[in-house]
Amino acid sequence: MSSRPVAASPAWLAAVRPALAISYLGLSHLATAQGSHRLAALAVGLIVLLLLTEPLWQRRPWALIAAAIAAAILWALKDSAHIHIALLLMPVIFLLLLAWLFGRTLLAGRTPVIGKIVRALEGSETGEVTPDLDRYTRGLTATWTAVFIAMAA
């Protein structure tokens, strides 16, 4: 693991992510409506860039390698109808990512994501909640995890 300090993200980087997401939505629609393989490849490339924005800014070697591999694959698929499969998989991947983000907070010793939200809304400085509320937020987090998995299936 590198002990290199992480550079703080510039303010403009926060605006890049929504712009990439909105651009993806438009491009994926156009790619589907026009049957354009190249627009589909570009749309998938925007998602890759969206996911790698922060680590690329921090010049993480793994992110540079991942971006180069993704670019090579997308270039190879730019004239193939198979690239549209990636567009069809995006909603499934997004739901599975949400399931993972919620589900990993259910591991022992972690605070469930909905518990974190409740603590933030309640302004709990100590992070303490009643056992009943803790059980409820854990169950609700588990329920949402299951819903995301079911929607992805």
Side-chain angles (χ1 to χ4, degrees):
M1 189 138 216
S2 174
S3 61
R4 179 174 56 134
V6 175
S9 299
W12 60 264
L13 199 56
V16 167
R17 288 186 190 106
L20 287 171
I22 290 168
S23 298
Y24 161 76
L25 293 173
L27 274 176
S28 64
H29 174 74
L30 282 174
T32 303
Q34 296 178 4
S36 171
H37 309 322
R38 290 181 179 210
L39 287 178
L42 187 56
V44 173
L46 287 177
I47 289 295
V48 170
L49 190 57
L50 175 66
L51 293 172
L52 295 176
T53 301
E54 187 78 23
L56 284 172
W57 174 256
Q58 296 170 349
R59 293 185 180 90
R60 300 283 189 207
W62 66 265
L64 294 169
I65 292 168
I69 290 170
I73 291 169
L74 292 172
W75 182 261
L77 292 175
K78 75 181 183 331
D79 294 318
S80 169
H82 291 96
I83 192 64
H84 290 276
I85 294 170
L87 285 181
L88 293 173
L89 288 176
M90 286 300 161
V92 174
I93 292 168
F94 177 74
L95 289 167
L96 292 175
L97 178 63
L98 283 174
W100 176 74
L101 289 171
F102 273 60
R104 72 187 182 126
T105 66
L106 294 170
L107 297 173
R110 295 193 177 183
T111 303
V113 70
I114 293 179
K116 290 178 184 178
I117 294 168
V118 167
R119 284 171 176 82
L121 290 173
E122 295 291 324
S124 175
E125 294 176 14
T126 62
E128 297 296 321
V129 293
T130 65
D132 286 342
L133 185 56
D134 188 50
R135 248 188 325 278
Y136 174 75
T137 60
R138 184 167 292 280
L140 194 54
T141 300
T143 300
W144 273 107
T145 302
V147 166
F148 292 140
I149 291 170
M151 288 173 62

